[in-house]
């Protein structure tokens, strides 16, 4: 039986994967209501048992059309905008381009105590509003001058190069895994770090893996372990793709060996690969880990390993995130760039270069090639 917030035993490891705060519950209720309103029978068609089942399945597919984190973000965007409208004495429905333009302005240059948001966050907020209006059958004209002109001005005046998280380099990842124990939890977390690093995986891709194909409904892929390495089949942001992870030069640093050790001692041969453990770290449970566990694991092991110890703890924590694993592979793999691009699942080499924190930028010298 899978663990739930209500029936979880007291000795289980804490995880956000099966618990939500009041805000999350409100957002989930809002998404469910939108799904029910958006996917329904036409008014002139009488319901039946068969049609009702089809409606429920269609709502499930509609919910799965966007990632869970995106759904949560869009729900939070609407909640924030609706509250802003109430404070200004207006209503979010129907959409008013004039008020949305003022809302964007207030996000960029707040009139209250709230900090100014980045241009990318403001752009995301607008996308969230457009999505929420669309779910209500209303079209938001983002090209209206009250919206488009204001947003263009915000981008022109406030846009900055994106802040990049620091890459985890080879010596860093070795120091990080060295801080882990050899109980079940340590074996699991070691496999997470090494697999995520060698595969250049997103944290959501790591925790969504199953042992085999079609093991669970919420699976984001599965893994096949071979003599020379492991093949991961992932349902990623850009569609299905395969990631090959070869065996390392030693068992201590090999991601495939770490994965085998975890699966063996956790006695996992079906379903989610990375699951919670009992509080004492001696027993694997059924509940899949949240992707937030990967972010917390990276920050915790960075602190314990002493990486960038010359900085205050707050600054060290701000430097690293789940993307640090992908950036680490892109920055450290001394191979042709196209192989790194394939491993990360990028559509363009330019995107891969954004992840490369150290590379020979002048390996191709166009100045000399042009005769200067």
């Amino acid at each position: 039986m899978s663990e739930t917030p209500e029936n979880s035993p007291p000795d289980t490891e804490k995880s956000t994967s099966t618990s939500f705060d009041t805000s999350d519950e409100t957002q989930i209720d809002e998404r469910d209501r939108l799904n029910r309103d958006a996917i329904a029978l036409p008014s002139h068609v009488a319901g039946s048992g068969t049609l009702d089942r089809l409606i429920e399945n269609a709502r499930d597919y509609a919910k799965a059309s966007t990632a869970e984190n995106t759904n949560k973000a869009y729900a939070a965007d609407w909640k924030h905008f609706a509250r802003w409208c109430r404070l200004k004495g207006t209503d979010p429905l129907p959409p008013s381009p004039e008020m949305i333009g003022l809302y964007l302005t207030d996000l960029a240059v707040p009139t209250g105590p709230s900090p100014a948001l980045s241009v990318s966050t403001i752009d995301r907020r607008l996308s969230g509003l457009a999505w929420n209006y669309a779910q209500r059958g209303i079209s938001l004209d983002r090209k209206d001058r009250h919206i488009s002109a204001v947003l263009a001005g915000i981008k022109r005046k406030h846009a900055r190069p994106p802040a990049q998280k620091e890459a985890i380099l080879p010596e860093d990842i070795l120091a990080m895994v060295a801080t882990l124990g050899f109980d079940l939890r340590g074996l699991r977390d070691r496999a997470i770090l090494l697999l995520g690093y060698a595969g250049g995986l997103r944290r959501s891709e790591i925790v969504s893996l199953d042992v085999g194909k079609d093991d669970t409904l919420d699976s984001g892929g599965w893994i096949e372990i071979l003599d020379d390495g492991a093949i991961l089949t992932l349902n990623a942001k850009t569609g299905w793709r395969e990631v090959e992870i070869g065996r390392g030069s030693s068992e201590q640093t090999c991601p495939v060996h770490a994965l085998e050790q975890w699966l063996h001692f956790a006695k996992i041969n079906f379903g989610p690969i990375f699951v919670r453990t009992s509080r004492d770290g001696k027993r694997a449970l059924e509940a899949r880990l949240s992707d937030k566990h990967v972010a917390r694991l990276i920050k915790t092991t960075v602190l314990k390993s002493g990486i960038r110890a010359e900085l205050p703890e707050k600054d060290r924590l701000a430097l690293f995130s789940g993307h640090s694993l992908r950036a680490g592979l892109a920055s450290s793999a001394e191979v042709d760039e196209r192989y790194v691009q394939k491993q990360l699942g990028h559509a363009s080499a330019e995107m891969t270069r954004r992840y490369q924190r150290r590379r020979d930028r002048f390996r191709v010298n166009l100045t000399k090639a042009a005769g200067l």
Side-chain angles (χ1 to χ4, degrees):
M1 180 177 179
S2 60
E3 301 292 341
T4 65
E6 293 76 20
N7 60 24
S8 295
D11 65 335
T12 56
E13 177 185 12
K14 291 182 180 179
S15 171
T16 58
S17 59
T18 55
S19 63
F20 301 93
D21 59 21
T22 304
S23 176
D24 284 336
E25 290 175 350
T26 302
Q27 293 169 16
I28 291 169
D29 291 342
E30 175 70 6
R31 294 199 306 274
D32 289 343
R33 187 187 68 77
L34 286 176
N35 277 332
R36 288 194 297 272
D37 293 345
I39 309 296
L41 284 173
S43 58
H44 64 276
V45 177
S48 67
T50 301
L51 288 175
D52 288 344
R53 286 192 296 273
L54 287 175
I55 287 292
E56 289 302 315
N57 289 338
R59 287 172 177 167
D60 289 340
Y61 282 129
K63 184 177 179 181
S65 64
T66 51
E68 184 65 18
N69 286 341
T70 302
N71 289 334
K72 289 181 179 180
Y74 284 172
D77 292 340
W78 181 258
K79 182 180 178 182
H80 187 274
F81 176 62
R83 181 177 182 275
W84 183 88
C85 286
R86 288 195 302 271
L87 292 174
K88 304 304 178 189
T90 185
D91 195 276
L93 293 169
S96 164
E98 294 87 351
M99 291 306 296
I100 291 176
L102 294 179
Y103 173 66
L104 300 180
T105 301
D106 201 18
L107 296 178
V109 188
T111 55
S114 300
L117 299 183
S118 67
V119 172
S120 61
T121 302
I122 294 173
D123 206 15
R124 208 285 320 286
R125 286 274 176 94
L126 181 58
S127 296
L129 296 185
W131 183 89
N132 277 280
Y133 280 122
Q135 304 315 300
R136 293 166 169 81
I138 304 172
S139 176
L140 175 63
D141 183 11
R142 295 183 54 162
K143 294 182 179 179
D144 184 285
R145 63 186 179 87
H146 293 94
I147 298 175
S148 61
V150 169
L151 185 60
I154 290 173
K155 289 182 176 180
R156 184 178 181 85
K157 190 170 183 178
H158 298 291
R160 298 289 184 273
Q164 294 184 320
K165 295 298 182 180
E166 192 151 320
I168 292 174
L169 302 177
E171 58 272 20
D172 298 330
I173 195 71
L174 295 181
M176 290 163 66
V177 298
T179 67
L180 300 171
F182 289 91
D183 58 357
L184 275 185
R185 192 179 303 162
L187 293 177
R188 179 200 66 192
D189 290 346
R190 184 175 284 100
I192 287 175
L193 289 177
L194 290 175
L195 199 72
Y197 186 83
L201 304 178
R202 300 176 178 89
R203 64 188 196 184
S204 59
E205 293 172 341
I206 297 172
V207 299
S208 68
L209 284 170
D210 278 3
V211 175
K213 182 181 180 181
D214 300 328
D215 279 359
T216 64
L217 292 176
D218 63 341
S219 170
W222 64 93
I223 192 164
E224 181 183 6
I225 299 178
L226 307 173
D227 290 341
D228 294 329
I231 299 176
L232 281 59
T233 304
L234 300 171
N235 186 8
K237 293 172 67 175
T238 54
W240 285 100
R241 67 187 180 97
E242 285 189 347
V243 173
E244 296 92 8
I245 299 179
R247 292 188 181 271
S249 55
S250 71
E251 288 187 349
Q252 288 73 27
T253 62
C254 176
V256 182
H257 178 74
L259 178 63
E260 289 174 323
Q261 291 289 99
W262 158 246
L263 293 176
H264 172 73
F265 287 104
K267 300 177 182 178
I268 295 176
N269 52 30
F270 181 85
I273 288 179
F274 295 115
V275 297
R276 296 165 59 197
T277 65
S278 58
R279 191 177 297 276
D280 60 9
K282 296 180 179 179
R283 182 164 52 92
L285 305 176
E286 296 180 6
R288 187 188 301 276
L289 283 175
S290 162
D291 65 337
K292 292 179 182 178
H293 174 81
V294 181
R296 290 195 300 268
L297 174 62
I298 290 171
K299 292 179 182 295
T300 299
T301 52
V302 162
L303 289 181
K304 288 183 178 179
S305 61
I307 297 171
R308 301 300 300 273
E310 72 278 5
L311 299 176
E313 180 176 307
K314 182 180 179 181
D315 294 341
R316 293 168 66 197
L317 289 174
L319 282 176
F320 298 93
S321 72
H323 265 64
S324 296
L325 294 177
R326 286 166 64 78
L329 177 74
S331 302
S332 304
E334 300 291 341
V335 295
D336 191 290
E337 192 175 70
R338 67 179 184 273
Y339 296 115
V340 179
Q341 179 183 340
K342 178 180 182 296
Q343 189 83 337
L344 298 183
H346 288 154
S348 67
E350 182 57 36
M351 178 58 72
T352 301
R353 293 187 189 111
R354 295 183 188 178
Y355 282 77
Q356 293 173 325
R357 305 295 187 263
R358 61 177 191 185
R359 60 187 172 92
D360 185 1
R361 296 177 178 270
F362 302 103
R363 181 166 57 88
V364 177
N365 190 327
L366 292 181
T367 304
K368 291 181 178 179
L372 298 179

